[in-house]
Short mmCIF file of all heavy atoms in Angstrom, two decimals:
data_model
loop_
_atom_site.label_atom_id
_atom_site.label_comp_id
_atom_site.label_asym_id
_atom_site.label_seq_id
_atom_site.Cartn_x
_atom_site.Cartn_y
_atom_site.Cartn_z
N TYR A 75 3.46 8.92 -25.38
CA TYR A 75 4.68 8.26 -25.20
C TYR A 75 4.96 7.12 -26.09
O TYR A 75 6.08 6.99 -26.61
CB TYR A 75 4.79 7.76 -23.74
CG TYR A 75 6.04 7.15 -23.36
CD1 TYR A 75 7.16 8.02 -23.02
CD2 TYR A 75 6.37 5.83 -23.39
CE1 TYR A 75 8.37 7.42 -22.63
CE2 TYR A 75 7.56 5.30 -22.98
CZ TYR A 75 8.51 6.08 -22.62
OH TYR A 75 9.82 5.57 -22.34
N PHE A 76 3.99 6.39 -26.47
CA PHE A 76 4.16 5.10 -27.37
C PHE A 76 4.58 5.68 -28.68
O PHE A 76 5.44 5.01 -29.21
CB PHE A 76 2.84 4.34 -27.43
CG PHE A 76 2.90 3.18 -28.27
CD1 PHE A 76 3.56 2.04 -27.88
CD2 PHE A 76 2.54 3.15 -29.54
CE1 PHE A 76 3.58 0.86 -28.65
CE2 PHE A 76 2.50 2.09 -30.42
CZ PHE A 76 3.16 0.90 -29.92
N THR A 77 3.93 6.68 -29.24
CA THR A 77 4.35 7.18 -30.57
C THR A 77 5.74 7.67 -30.66
O THR A 77 6.45 7.55 -31.63
CB THR A 77 3.35 8.36 -30.92
OG1 THR A 77 3.56 9.43 -30.02
CG2 THR A 77 1.97 7.92 -31.11
N GLN A 78 6.42 8.02 -29.45
CA GLN A 78 7.70 8.45 -29.41
C GLN A 78 8.72 7.33 -29.16
O GLN A 78 9.80 7.20 -29.87
CB GLN A 78 7.95 9.60 -28.37
CG GLN A 78 7.11 10.87 -28.74
CD GLN A 78 7.19 11.78 -27.52
OE1 GLN A 78 7.73 11.52 -26.60
NE2 GLN A 78 6.61 12.98 -27.80
N LYS A 79 8.40 6.55 -28.04
CA LYS A 79 9.49 5.72 -27.61
C LYS A 79 8.88 4.28 -27.50
O LYS A 79 9.66 3.36 -27.07
CB LYS A 79 9.97 6.14 -26.27
CG LYS A 79 10.76 7.43 -26.36
CD LYS A 79 11.31 7.77 -24.99
CE LYS A 79 12.12 9.07 -25.01
NZ LYS A 79 12.75 9.44 -23.80
N GLY A 80 7.66 4.01 -27.66
CA GLY A 80 7.03 2.70 -27.56
C GLY A 80 6.51 2.51 -26.09
O GLY A 80 6.30 3.37 -25.32
N ILE A 81 6.56 1.13 -25.72
CA ILE A 81 6.10 0.82 -24.36
C ILE A 81 7.23 1.02 -23.44
O ILE A 81 8.37 0.84 -23.82
CB ILE A 81 5.62 -0.70 -24.40
CG1 ILE A 81 4.47 -0.85 -25.30
CG2 ILE A 81 5.38 -1.09 -22.96
CD1 ILE A 81 3.98 -2.32 -25.49
N PRO A 82 7.00 1.63 -22.22
CA PRO A 82 8.09 1.83 -21.22
C PRO A 82 8.81 0.60 -20.87
O PRO A 82 8.33 -0.48 -20.92
CB PRO A 82 7.39 2.34 -20.10
CG PRO A 82 6.07 2.81 -20.45
CD PRO A 82 5.70 1.93 -21.61
N ARG A 83 10.10 0.69 -20.60
CA ARG A 83 10.98 -0.36 -20.17
C ARG A 83 10.63 -1.10 -18.92
O ARG A 83 10.98 -2.21 -18.59
CB ARG A 83 12.49 0.06 -20.16
CG ARG A 83 13.05 0.51 -21.48
CD ARG A 83 14.51 0.81 -21.33
NE ARG A 83 15.28 -0.42 -21.18
CZ ARG A 83 15.59 -1.36 -22.09
NH1 ARG A 83 15.17 -1.14 -23.32
NH2 ARG A 83 16.32 -2.36 -21.76
N SER A 84 9.74 -0.31 -18.11
CA SER A 84 9.37 -0.90 -16.90
C SER A 84 8.37 -2.10 -17.07
O SER A 84 8.13 -2.86 -16.22
CB SER A 84 8.66 0.03 -15.99
OG SER A 84 7.49 0.73 -16.62
N CYS A 85 7.87 -2.27 -18.33
CA CYS A 85 6.93 -3.35 -18.72
C CYS A 85 7.79 -4.64 -19.09
O CYS A 85 7.19 -5.71 -19.27
CB CYS A 85 5.99 -2.99 -19.83
SG CYS A 85 4.70 -1.97 -19.42
N CYS A 86 9.07 -4.54 -19.25
CA CYS A 86 9.82 -5.60 -19.89
C CYS A 86 9.89 -6.69 -18.93
O CYS A 86 10.18 -6.54 -17.71
CB CYS A 86 11.28 -5.05 -20.27
SG CYS A 86 11.27 -3.89 -21.67
N LYS A 87 9.84 -7.92 -19.36
CA LYS A 87 10.04 -9.14 -18.62
C LYS A 87 11.45 -9.23 -18.23
O LYS A 87 11.96 -9.53 -17.04
CB LYS A 87 9.72 -10.39 -19.30
CG LYS A 87 8.23 -10.54 -19.48
CD LYS A 87 7.75 -11.72 -20.31
CE LYS A 87 6.32 -11.91 -20.64
NZ LYS A 87 6.00 -12.98 -21.55
N SER A 88 12.33 -8.96 -19.20
CA SER A 88 13.84 -8.92 -18.93
C SER A 88 14.44 -7.65 -19.51
O SER A 88 14.25 -7.36 -20.81
CB SER A 88 14.44 -10.13 -19.67
OG SER A 88 15.91 -10.03 -19.64
N GLN A 89 15.09 -6.90 -18.66
CA GLN A 89 15.65 -5.53 -19.07
C GLN A 89 16.76 -5.78 -20.26
O GLN A 89 16.81 -4.86 -21.06
CB GLN A 89 16.23 -4.85 -17.94
CG GLN A 89 15.20 -4.40 -16.91
CD GLN A 89 14.17 -3.36 -17.45
OE1 GLN A 89 14.45 -2.52 -18.33
NE2 GLN A 89 12.90 -3.59 -16.98
N ASP A 90 17.36 -6.90 -20.25
CA ASP A 90 18.50 -7.08 -21.22
C ASP A 90 17.89 -7.51 -22.58
O ASP A 90 18.59 -7.26 -23.63
CB ASP A 90 19.41 -8.28 -20.76
CG ASP A 90 20.02 -7.90 -19.38
OD1 ASP A 90 20.20 -6.76 -19.12
OD2 ASP A 90 20.25 -8.88 -18.60
N ASP A 91 16.60 -8.05 -22.58
CA ASP A 91 16.15 -8.61 -23.87
C ASP A 91 15.10 -7.65 -24.46
O ASP A 91 14.32 -7.94 -25.42
CB ASP A 91 15.41 -9.93 -23.56
CG ASP A 91 15.11 -10.65 -24.84
OD1 ASP A 91 15.81 -10.41 -25.89
OD2 ASP A 91 14.09 -11.46 -24.88
N CYS A 92 14.97 -6.37 -24.02
CA CYS A 92 14.06 -5.43 -24.56
C CYS A 92 14.82 -4.21 -25.22
O CYS A 92 15.40 -3.53 -24.76
CB CYS A 92 13.29 -4.86 -23.44
SG CYS A 92 11.61 -5.52 -23.08
N SER A 93 14.58 -4.31 -26.55
CA SER A 93 15.19 -3.18 -27.31
C SER A 93 13.94 -2.03 -27.63
O SER A 93 12.90 -2.48 -27.55
CB SER A 93 15.72 -3.63 -28.60
OG SER A 93 14.78 -4.14 -29.53
N GLU A 94 14.47 -0.86 -27.94
CA GLU A 94 13.42 0.13 -28.35
C GLU A 94 12.66 -0.24 -29.56
O GLU A 94 11.41 0.08 -29.53
CB GLU A 94 14.16 1.49 -28.51
CG GLU A 94 13.21 2.66 -28.41
CD GLU A 94 13.95 4.03 -28.43
OE1 GLU A 94 14.87 4.11 -27.70
OE2 GLU A 94 13.51 4.94 -29.10
N GLU A 95 13.21 -0.99 -30.53
CA GLU A 95 12.51 -1.42 -31.61
C GLU A 95 11.45 -2.28 -31.31
O GLU A 95 10.24 -2.26 -31.90
CB GLU A 95 13.44 -1.91 -32.81
CG GLU A 95 14.45 -1.00 -33.29
CD GLU A 95 15.64 -0.80 -32.37
OE1 GLU A 95 16.12 -1.85 -31.61
OE2 GLU A 95 16.14 0.34 -32.27
N ASP A 96 11.67 -3.32 -30.39
CA ASP A 96 10.75 -4.22 -30.01
C ASP A 96 9.51 -3.55 -29.34
O ASP A 96 8.40 -3.82 -29.40
CB ASP A 96 11.33 -5.23 -29.10
CG ASP A 96 12.35 -6.22 -29.72
OD1 ASP A 96 12.23 -6.28 -30.95
OD2 ASP A 96 13.09 -6.78 -29.01
N LEU A 97 9.87 -2.56 -28.50
CA LEU A 97 8.90 -1.84 -27.72
C LEU A 97 8.01 -0.94 -28.51
O LEU A 97 6.82 -0.60 -28.08
CB LEU A 97 9.47 -1.04 -26.56
CG LEU A 97 10.32 -1.86 -25.52
CD1 LEU A 97 10.96 -0.93 -24.47
CD2 LEU A 97 9.32 -2.79 -24.72
N LYS A 98 8.44 -0.60 -29.69
CA LYS A 98 7.57 0.21 -30.59
C LYS A 98 6.63 -0.61 -31.46
O LYS A 98 5.67 -0.07 -32.01
CB LYS A 98 8.53 1.04 -31.49
CG LYS A 98 9.10 2.32 -30.81
CD LYS A 98 9.88 3.04 -31.81
CE LYS A 98 10.48 4.31 -31.08
NZ LYS A 98 11.21 5.17 -31.99
N ASP A 99 6.91 -1.88 -31.61
CA ASP A 99 6.09 -2.79 -32.42
C ASP A 99 5.23 -3.68 -31.41
O ASP A 99 5.80 -4.55 -30.79
CB ASP A 99 6.95 -3.68 -33.26
CG ASP A 99 6.19 -4.67 -34.14
OD1 ASP A 99 5.01 -4.36 -34.36
OD2 ASP A 99 6.92 -5.51 -34.74
N PRO A 100 3.89 -3.40 -31.42
CA PRO A 100 3.00 -4.17 -30.43
C PRO A 100 3.19 -5.71 -30.60
O PRO A 100 2.97 -6.38 -29.56
CB PRO A 100 1.67 -3.59 -30.75
CG PRO A 100 1.89 -2.35 -31.35
CD PRO A 100 3.14 -2.36 -32.13
N SER A 101 3.21 -6.19 -31.78
CA SER A 101 3.33 -7.60 -31.93
C SER A 101 4.63 -8.28 -31.47
O SER A 101 4.54 -9.34 -30.77
CB SER A 101 3.15 -7.97 -33.47
OG SER A 101 4.12 -7.37 -34.21
N LYS A 102 5.74 -7.54 -31.63
CA LYS A 102 6.98 -7.94 -31.00
C LYS A 102 7.00 -7.81 -29.39
O LYS A 102 7.54 -8.51 -28.68
CB LYS A 102 8.18 -7.33 -31.52
CG LYS A 102 8.51 -7.78 -33.00
CD LYS A 102 9.72 -7.03 -33.43
CE LYS A 102 10.01 -7.30 -34.90
NZ LYS A 102 11.15 -6.41 -35.46
N ALA A 103 6.36 -6.67 -29.02
CA ALA A 103 6.37 -6.33 -27.65
C ALA A 103 5.58 -7.33 -26.78
O ALA A 103 5.98 -7.59 -25.70
CB ALA A 103 5.83 -4.95 -27.48
N LYS A 104 4.57 -7.92 -27.43
CA LYS A 104 3.62 -8.89 -26.76
C LYS A 104 4.46 -10.04 -26.18
O LYS A 104 4.26 -10.52 -25.08
CB LYS A 104 2.60 -9.50 -27.58
CG LYS A 104 1.72 -10.25 -26.91
CD LYS A 104 0.61 -10.77 -27.84
CE LYS A 104 -0.45 -11.62 -27.11
NZ LYS A 104 -1.45 -12.01 -27.94
N LEU A 105 5.64 -10.34 -26.77
CA LEU A 105 6.41 -11.46 -26.34
C LEU A 105 7.44 -11.04 -25.30
O LEU A 105 8.01 -11.89 -24.57
CB LEU A 105 7.15 -12.10 -27.59
CG LEU A 105 6.21 -12.61 -28.74
CD1 LEU A 105 7.13 -13.07 -29.90
CD2 LEU A 105 5.35 -13.69 -28.19
N LYS A 106 7.75 -9.77 -25.18
CA LYS A 106 8.83 -9.26 -24.34
C LYS A 106 8.31 -8.53 -23.09
O LYS A 106 9.13 -8.26 -22.25
CB LYS A 106 9.80 -8.32 -25.20
CG LYS A 106 10.17 -8.87 -26.39
CD LYS A 106 11.70 -8.97 -26.51
CE LYS A 106 12.03 -9.62 -27.81
NZ LYS A 106 13.37 -9.87 -27.84
#
Side-chain angles (χ1 to χ4, degrees):
Y75 182 82
F76 181 80
T77 58
Q78 297 171 358
K79 297 184 180 180
I81 296 173
R83 294 190 67 80
S84 60
C85 284
C86 292
K87 292 177 184 175
S88 170
Q89 295 296 322
D90 302 331
D91 192 28
C92 261
S93 67
E94 194 170 319
E95 295 81 33
D96 292 339
L97 295 174
K98 285 184 177 181
D99 183 11
S101 59
K102 288 181 185 176
K104 184 177 184 179
L105 304 171
K106 308 243 177 182

